[in-house]
Amino acid sequence: KHEIELYKYWKGNTKNSQITQMDSSNYGIVWYENKGNSVYYAAKKESDYCFSEVKKIISIPTVNRLSLSNDGNFLAITTIKEKDNRKSIIYIYDLKKEKFVFKTDTGLFDGFIYSDSKSNYHLVAISYDSTFVINSFIIDFENKTYTKEKVYKLKKNALAFNPCYYDDGKIAFI
C-alpha cells in the first residue's frame, strides 16, 4: 500500500524531474528531486505500514548525498558548492523538531549520520588531502561542535565512496 501512495505522489509531482539521491530507514524515506532542487521526506506510519504526507524539507542546489540516521531522528544532507569537493558542507536536520541543528565546515563530503548503542551521534565523512581520508566525528548538538574520534587514511591512489553504517562503531565503504 505504501508503494502505491508514493507512486501516486511521484506520478503527480515529478514530471520532468529526476530523483538523484534517495535513502530510507525503518522510519521513513527521503529523496532529492533535481527539478526545484528540493529534498522531501515521508515518515513511516506505525499503524498501517504506510508513509505520512510528503514534506518538503529544503530547496538547495547540488545535493551530493542524503543519509537518514539509523534511529530515524536525523537527516544528513551533503551539498557541494561550485562543483568543488573542497566547498562541500554537511547539514544535519532534526526530523522530530523539523529544523536544521548543525552544519560542518567545508571540505567534508559523502557524509552519513548514525546513533551508537550509547545514544551518541556520529558523523562519518570523507575528506581529501593528497589521499582520501574517512573521518568519524562525535556530534555535540547542544554546543554545535563535532570532535574527531577516528581517522582512516587510505593508501595513495586508493579511492573511497559511500561510507555507511555497518554495525555499532563500524563503517563500511566502497
Side-chain angles (χ1 to χ4, degrees), residues 55-69:
K55 291 182 181 180
K56 181 177 177 179
I57 293 176
I58 189 173
S59 289
I60 190 167
T62 323
V63 169
N64 175 261
R65 180 161 186 197
L66 298 171
S67 169
L68 289 168
S69 62

Side-chain angles (χ1 to χ4, degrees), residues 99-169:
K99 67 178 187 174
F100 285 91
V101 293
F102 189 79
K103 158 179 134 166
T104 66
D105 296 325
T106 60
L108 296 173
F109 62 97
D110 212 0
F112 80 95
I113 185 169
Y114 74 94
S115 173
D116 66 19
S117 60
K118 298 175 187 168
S119 298
N120 294 314
Y121 284 94
H122 304 261
L123 175 66
V124 177
I126 298 174
S127 62
Y128 184 80
D129 182 22
S130 75
T131 61
F132 280 92
V133 178
I134 299 175
N135 306 278
S136 179
F137 304 93
I138 294 179
I139 302 172
D140 179 349
F141 288 113
E142 189 173 310
N143 294 311
K144 296 192 184 300
T145 61
Y146 55 109
T147 306
K148 194 175 285 190
E149 63 173 336
K150 294 178 188 173
V151 175
Y152 307 93
K153 195 166 189 172
L154 291 125
K155 294 180 181 178
K156 190 171 183 161
N157 298 325
L159 302 174
F161 298 100
N162 204 31
C164 62
Y165 175 82
Y166 170 66
D167 194 8
D168 197 33

Side-chain angles (χ1 to χ4, degrees), residues 73-89:
N73 290 328
F74 294 97
L75 167 64
I77 302 171
T78 304
T79 65
I80 296 179
K81 306 285 183 183
E82 303 168 19
K83 298 185 181 184
D84 181 349
N85 286 339
R86 291 169 291 180
K87 303 284 185 184
S88 62
I89 297 174

